[in-house]
Amino acid sequence: MARKASAGRPGDTDQGWLHGSPPPPWVRLLPPVLLVAICVGELLSSQRLDIGFLLGAIPALAVLSYGPLATAVFGGIVVLLLTVPALELNRPGQADLLTIVFIAVLSVFVSHVRSRRDAHLVTVRSVAEAAQLAVLPPLPDRVGPVRCVGLYRPAQRETLVGGDFFDVRDGPFGVRALMGDVQGHGLSAVGTVASLLGAFRETVLDQRDLEAAAARLDRRLVVDSAAVEHAEMFATALLLEFPPDTDSVRMVSCGHPCPFLLRGAKALELDIEPGAPLGPGFFELSPPRVRVVDLEPGDRLFLASDGVSESRDPAGVFYPLPDRLTGFAEEDSDAIVDRVWQDLVRYCPSIRDDVSILLLAPRIRGDDDLAAG
């Protein structure tokens, strides 16, 4: 399954039209509806209504969702209606024709400026989206013998990449997966994410040992930090390896939350002796220890960033991930990821950290027989 886009989280894709998103359809209806309502109200009323001044709002409302040509049309209609004697909308004391003409002309100018800026914003967003997707491309449904389901929700709105990252790659030493979390989140962390992902993809091809792969990531971050004055760059990471022709997984942790093994109706947290986080320079003093876990048919591995485990409800209680996973363990992989995300949003309506989830389902010898049975 491809990496899920940010759509699923309330407020992620619909940021609100007052915050830069396209206006909803009802906003486009406001100018014509108000125009018709004023005319009908004046014609049907048995008494004279002092509502001609409302016509001045129509060109201003058109600016929100119409281009300069349509705004000019609305302004022309408004000025024309002010000259219709039967409507009596331009009687002294009720509406000033010159004032509304000025508002209409000003609205056309504002609409022109807004249209130009919107076009520029679309271009900038398209370039930014392409750049971010190049850093963290969608996850394929399957990498070698491992089926992958991933979910990513950056904390910073209007971005596709934040401080969390994950990737799954096939290489000569087996399928390797990486999940990590760099210091900070949002666009400021994208450069570090890109650097670590690039180093990881190299290690998949030329580093036989998982410990050496982790050391390469640490060196990459140390080198990058050395080029920045007063840098305090660091990252946590979890690396997994599914060696070819074996029914096991090898894991190392550099300060990252432990993964869970989903086996039947159980969700077992796999304790891994962690090493130092990447970047501060303590990797050689406290290197990670490899843990090997034998896998059985149907086993799956659930990885999550601390944006999941450290989210809190309004009372300050941490999200009970182990308990929730136990309740979801027997569902299919796509459903588990979706259920955890939806449950997390309900539990913690205000999530302030990046959230990433990765579920890996390796094909184990005996899975085919189990499926056939």
Side-chain angles (χ1 to χ4, degrees), residues 265-284:
K266 298 179 180 179
L268 308 172
E269 187 171 9
L270 300 175
D271 292 328
I272 306 174
E273 185 175 345
L278 308 174
F282 305 128
F283 189 87
E284 294 184 358

Side-chain angles (χ1 to χ4, degrees), residues 244-259:
D245 302 323
T246 62
D247 294 339
S248 64
V249 58
R250 303 176 73 244
M251 300 172 287
V252 297
S253 173
C254 300
H256 199 78
C258 295

Side-chain angles (χ1 to χ4, degrees), residues 24-151:
W26 60 266
V27 175
R28 294 183 62 85
L29 294 176
L30 286 178
V33 168
L34 181 59
L35 189 65
V36 173
I38 292 172
C39 295
V40 171
E42 189 67 40
L43 290 173
L44 296 182
S45 176
S46 58
Q47 300 178 350
R48 294 180 177 178
L49 300 177
D50 295 335
I51 58 175
F53 68 94
L54 293 177
L55 291 174
I58 293 175
L61 289 174
V63 169
L64 297 176
S65 54
Y66 289 93
L69 179 59
T71 302
V73 170
F74 278 112
I77 293 174
V78 166
V79 173
L80 181 63
L81 291 176
L82 289 172
T83 63
V84 177
L87 294 176
E88 297 184 339
L89 292 172
N90 193 39
R91 287 175 294 148
Q94 294 182 1
D96 190 329
L97 177 60
L98 293 179
T99 300
I100 292 182
V101 169
F102 174 77
I103 293 175
V105 172
L106 182 61
S107 297
V108 172
F109 173 75
V110 173
S111 178
H112 173 71
V113 173
R114 181 193 61 78
S115 299
R116 294 284 298 272
R117 197 170 84 172
D118 285 352
H120 176 70
L121 184 59
V122 168
T123 301
V124 170
R125 284 180 173 174
S126 298
V127 173
E129 181 176 344
Q132 293 178 74
L133 287 176
V135 173
L136 193 64
L139 193 67
D141 293 340
R142 184 177 295 276
V143 178
V146 180
R147 184 169 182 263
C148 312
V149 182
L151 179 142

